[in-house]
Amino acid sequence: MIADRQDRPSSETLRDDAGVMVAIIERWKLIAIVGLVLAGITVGVSFLMTPRYVSETVVAVVEQSNQSSALASVMARVGGLASLAGLGSSAPAKEEAIARLRSREFSLDVVKTMGLESVLFSERWDQRNADWTTGEEPPSGMELFERFDTDVRSIRSDAKTGLVRVSVRLPDPDLATRVVNQLVARFNDLARNQAIEEAEYRIDYLTREAETASVISLRQELFSVIEYEIQTLAVAKSRRDFALRVI
């Protein structure tokens, strides 16, 4: 009589089964990673594929000169004092204006002033609860700037005419128009305030130097520079399109 026997798996079979399980686990890991990557791509593509409208304005950069022909001769004699007061030190207006328009600091100022965070990252925003979706972190400053700079705002300079085109692309045409107008208005406000602050500082500095100057001719020349700075201050306070003029 032959007793019943139960076959036991060999060591080779166990190793094969373990290998199969490891392969399955690794494959699932790969599938999960690919899924996450595709999800990220889908979010980005969904933002780009959303119908968007372009609002554009053309501006001319207003040249801000610290020297007139009359002032130049005075500054040549005043020399060191003018340098200390910050006179005669100006970067090319157009290049500087474009660099500031594109800068991270200025871009984030406009984004946060207008509350564009939820617009730029609508995939993270819970419209119903007016808050970021549970489990989603608010976008960082760098994320906001990169999306605004890459997908929303465009700045193009025409080498022939010297004009600058500022455009904004957003799903809401009215919002796109408001943003492009705000870019120009905010830039002018900041440039005007900076010019006023600097002119007031120079007037104060040069006035103190003129009051203590022992040479009469030097004192007269300093007052000539002060007069020019007062005119500059008056222009800054009265001109709306101080740095960018809409064409």
Side-chain angles (χ1 to χ4, degrees):
M1 182 176 178
I2 301 175
D4 293 336
R5 294 184 305 171
Q6 184 176 8
D7 294 335
R8 294 182 178 179
S10 64
S11 59
E12 289 81 1
T13 301
L14 290 174
R15 285 195 296 270
D16 291 342
D17 291 343
V20 171
M21 290 300 296
V22 171
I24 292 174
I25 292 173
E26 292 298 327
R27 179 167 296 181
W28 275 106
K29 286 182 179 179
L30 177 61
I31 292 173
I33 292 173
V34 171
L36 290 174
V37 172
L38 290 177
I41 294 175
T42 301
V43 169
V45 170
S46 65
F47 179 83
L48 294 175
M49 293 185 66
T50 301
R52 292 193 290 171
Y53 302 87
V54 178
S55 180
E56 182 179 86
T57 187
V58 179
V59 299
V61 178
V62 180
E63 295 289 337
Q64 303 295 335
S65 175
N66 280 329
Q67 299 186 52
S68 64
S69 57
L71 181 64
S73 59
V74 174
M75 288 180 60
R77 295 192 297 273
V78 175
L81 290 178
S83 177
L84 288 174
L87 293 167
S89 56
S90 61
K94 182 180 176 182
E95 288 76 7
E96 182 180 358
I98 292 175
R100 288 186 177 181
L101 277 169
R102 289 175 173 163
S103 70
R104 175 182 174 182
E105 180 181 4
F106 177 71
S107 299
L108 289 179
D109 178 84
V110 172
V111 167
K112 294 180 179 181
T113 298
M114 300 197 68
L116 299 177
E117 296 93 333
S118 61
V119 177
L120 296 179
F121 285 86
S122 57
E123 71 275 9
R124 300 188 194 177
W125 183 253
D126 185 342
Q127 189 68 32
R128 177 177 297 179
N129 296 317
D131 199 358
W132 298 106
T133 304
T134 303
E136 291 285 356
E137 292 291 332
S140 64
M142 180 57 70
E143 287 178 310
L144 289 169
F145 170 67
E146 288 180 349
R147 180 159 290 187
F148 184 74
D149 184 55
T150 303
D151 301 328
V152 176
R153 185 220 48 221
S154 174
I155 299 172
R156 302 186 307 278
S157 175
D158 190 320
K160 292 183 178 180
T161 63
L163 300 178
V164 179
R165 294 181 179 274
V166 182
S167 60
V168 170
R169 300 173 67 243
L170 286 171
D172 184 341
D174 293 333
L175 180 58
T177 299
R178 292 200 304 272
V179 172
V180 79
N181 289 337
Q182 177 69 4
L183 283 168
V184 176
R186 183 63 174 161
F187 188 89
N188 276 325
D189 287 343
L190 293 175
R192 183 188 306 106
N193 292 339
Q194 180 181 351
I196 291 173
E197 181 179 346
E198 291 177 352
E200 289 176 341
Y201 165 78
R202 290 192 292 263
I203 291 171
D204 180 68
Y205 176 85
L206 293 172
T207 299
R208 285 186 277 110
E209 291 296 329
E211 290 174 348
T212 59
S214 57
V215 180
I216 296 178
S217 60
L218 175 60
R219 183 182 304 172
Q220 293 173 340
E221 290 168 351
L222 285 171
F223 278 122
S224 297
V225 179
I226 292 170
E227 183 180 355
Y228 173 81
E229 287 299 323
I230 292 174
Q231 294 173 2
T232 300
L233 183 60
V235 170
K237 289 183 176 181
S238 62
R239 193 166 67 196
R240 182 178 179 182
D241 298 337
F242 181 74
L244 300 177
R245 185 176 68 253
V246 178
I247 302 303

